[in-house]
């Protein structure tokens, strides 16, 4: 029997659902038997440390470094990630080889129907600088509390009264079968790559590249890579309150982005339409935003 194709993933419930989504698509695309694809859960530092903000303990690499090591050590053949958790600059020996169709990009508010409906001075739990800044930009009276953990952990903290409300990605709730929870917020631009599931392989593994390319959703790939190109020019990291969304309509890609001060006191927005070179358009938008950004915003980005 041919050795199974091994999918590396974090061990959280959502990560395992997403890995299984990849598994099901690979089996269907290649006509494989179920046992031909194996899911390999790997514990990450980001899963183990839950009492501090991500930016304080190593940033987004806490979600990827153990999976990177397993991939480069050939313990797995590919790694599945929520793309919004993947650092902008990746090791040259690792390639983002495919993405699944993007899900709902919106955030959901749990604890009130709308941001305006939150009580004055309400406590909102989040570990996202982007969400915190956007909330404070709209409602400076809100109190932002650190909320980390998987979806179930954060919902349990909310139920226990540790906060009055929280924001979670609609895509994650939908994938966990909890789409009835919370209220979608249409007026918050999402995190770059929110709602997208990506698959990485070793850059020199031509067989793995071919295998996962069969399930690549090209429109999602195009949008997410444009958003990541914008992040690269901004010099954004996990401390940076930045939102971005690329969308395709009639084969034309439009990118919208927002940069914010940490306390929400200022922000800058912009958009651009690609003329065919998506990376160049994203990079031009990033440079324009940095040029126009107020000091409180610009200082949070390293720039080109």
């Amino acid at each position: 029997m041919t050795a199974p194709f091994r999918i590396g993933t974090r061990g959280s419930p959502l990560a395992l659902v997403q890995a299984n989504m990849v598994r099901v698509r690979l089996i269907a695309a290649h006509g494989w038997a179920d046992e031909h694809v194996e899911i390999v859960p790997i514990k990450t530092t980001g899963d183990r440390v839950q009492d501090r903000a991500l930016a304080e303990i190593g940033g987004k690499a806490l979600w990827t470094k153990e999976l990177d090591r397993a991939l480069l050590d050939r313990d797995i053949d590919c790694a599945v990630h929520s793309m919004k958790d993947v650092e902008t600059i990746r090791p040259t020996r690792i390639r983002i080889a495919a993405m699944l169709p993007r899900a709902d990009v919106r955030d959901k508010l749990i604890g009130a129907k709308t941001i305006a409906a939150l009580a004055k001075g309400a406590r909102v739990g989040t570990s996202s600088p982007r969400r915190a800044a956007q909330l404070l930009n709209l409602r400076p009276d809100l109190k932002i509390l650190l909320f980390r953990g998987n979806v179930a952990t954060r919902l349990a903290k909310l139920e226990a009264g540790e906060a009055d409300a929280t924001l979670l990605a609609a895509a994650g709730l939908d994938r966990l079968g909890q789409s009835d929870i919370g209220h979608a917020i249409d007026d918050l631009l999402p995190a770059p790559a929110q709602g997208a599931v990506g698959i990485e392989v070793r850059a020199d593994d031509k067989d793995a590249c071919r295998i996962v390319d069969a399930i690549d959703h090209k429109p999602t790939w195009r949008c997410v890579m444009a958003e990541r190109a914008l992040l690269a020019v901004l010099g954004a990291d996990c401390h940076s309150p930045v939102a971005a969304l690329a969308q395709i309509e009639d084969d034309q890609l439009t990118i919208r982005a927002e940069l914010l001060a940490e306390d929400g006191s200022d922000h800058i927005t912009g958009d651009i339409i690609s003329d065919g070179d998506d990376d160049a358009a994203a990079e031009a938008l990033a440079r324009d935003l940095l040029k126009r950004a107020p000091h409180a915003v610009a200082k949070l980005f390293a720039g080109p």
Side-chain angles (χ1 to χ4, degrees):
M1 174 182 170
T2 304
F5 189 78
R6 300 159 299 171
I7 299 174
T9 177
R10 292 169 53 198
S12 72
L14 178 57
L16 290 170
V17 166
Q18 293 175 166
N20 195 57
M21 289 164 55
V22 172
R23 177 180 178 274
V24 167
R25 283 167 172 77
L26 286 174
I27 288 170
H30 297 288
W32 288 341
D34 287 354
E35 61 268 21
H36 196 91
V37 185
E38 177 186 354
I39 291 178
V40 182
I42 294 172
K43 191 78 170 179
T44 69
T45 305
D47 292 311
R48 288 193 294 268
V49 182
Q50 297 291 325
D51 59 347
R52 285 175 286 169
L54 196 64
E56 296 178 5
I57 53 175
K60 290 184 176 181
L62 296 178
W63 301 128
T64 58
K65 65 180 183 179
E66 284 90 355
L67 285 162
D68 290 352
R69 186 178 302 117
L71 189 58
L72 294 173
D73 288 347
R74 301 179 181 271
D75 295 328
I76 56 176
D77 300 299
C78 74
V80 174
H81 301 285
S82 291
M83 284 304 301
K84 73 173 183 176
D85 293 334
V86 177
E87 316 95 280
T88 308
I89 307 301
R90 299 295 288 131
T92 57
R93 295 169 61 196
I94 292 176
R95 175 184 171 190
I96 301 171
M99 294 183 204
L100 300 188
R102 197 172 199 171
D104 192 337
V105 300
R106 296 174 297 176
D107 286 324
K108 276 192 163 182
L109 179 66
I110 299 97
K113 288 187 177 181
T114 64
I115 294 170
L118 288 166
K120 184 175 178 59
R123 303 164 301 154
V124 183
T126 182
S127 62
S128 163
R130 187 261 313 173
R131 286 172 175 150
Q134 287 176 320
L135 286 168
L136 291 171
N137 181 257
L138 295 171
R139 291 283 306 274
D141 61 292
L142 297 176
K143 308 300 181 186
I144 305 299
L145 307 177
L146 177 66
F147 248 34
R148 284 203 53 218
N150 61 34
V151 170
T153 299
R154 283 182 276 178
L155 290 175
K157 288 180 178 182
L158 190 63
E159 182 68 23
E162 294 185 27
D164 302 306
T166 190
L167 286 166
L168 294 172
L173 289 168
D174 289 347
R175 288 170 182 150
L176 288 168
Q178 297 176 288
S179 56
D180 58 329
I181 292 177
H183 302 273
I185 305 298
D186 292 312
D187 54 354
L188 291 187
L189 206 58
Q194 185 154 310
V197 173
I199 309 166
E200 291 191 322
V201 300
R202 291 183 296 278
D204 62 355
D205 190 340
K206 294 181 180 179
D207 285 341
C209 288
R210 173 186 55 78
I211 286 168
V212 302
D213 182 67
I215 63 170
D216 182 38
H217 187 252
K218 305 303 181 187
T220 296
W221 167 275
R222 185 181 174 193
C223 289
V224 171
M225 295 310 284
E227 292 164 21
R228 289 175 61 82
L230 176 128
L231 289 177
V233 173
L234 290 174
D237 59 22
C238 57
H239 297 268
S240 310
V242 55
L245 180 63
Q247 294 174 298
I248 297 173
E249 186 173 348
D250 297 329
D251 202 41
Q252 187 174 64
L253 183 139
T254 300
I255 313 169
R256 294 181 291 142
E258 178 183 31
L259 313 183
L260 301 105
E262 290 175 304
D263 61 0
S265 59
D266 219 334
H267 72 138
I268 185 79
T269 63
D271 60 81
I272 195 168
I273 297 174
S274 171
D275 61 1
D277 188 336
D278 298 339
D279 283 1
E283 291 162 4
L285 176 58
R287 288 191 291 269
D288 176 65
L289 289 169
L290 290 173
K291 182 179 179 180
R292 294 189 292 114
H295 176 70
V297 174
K299 70 179 183 178
L300 301 174
F301 298 87

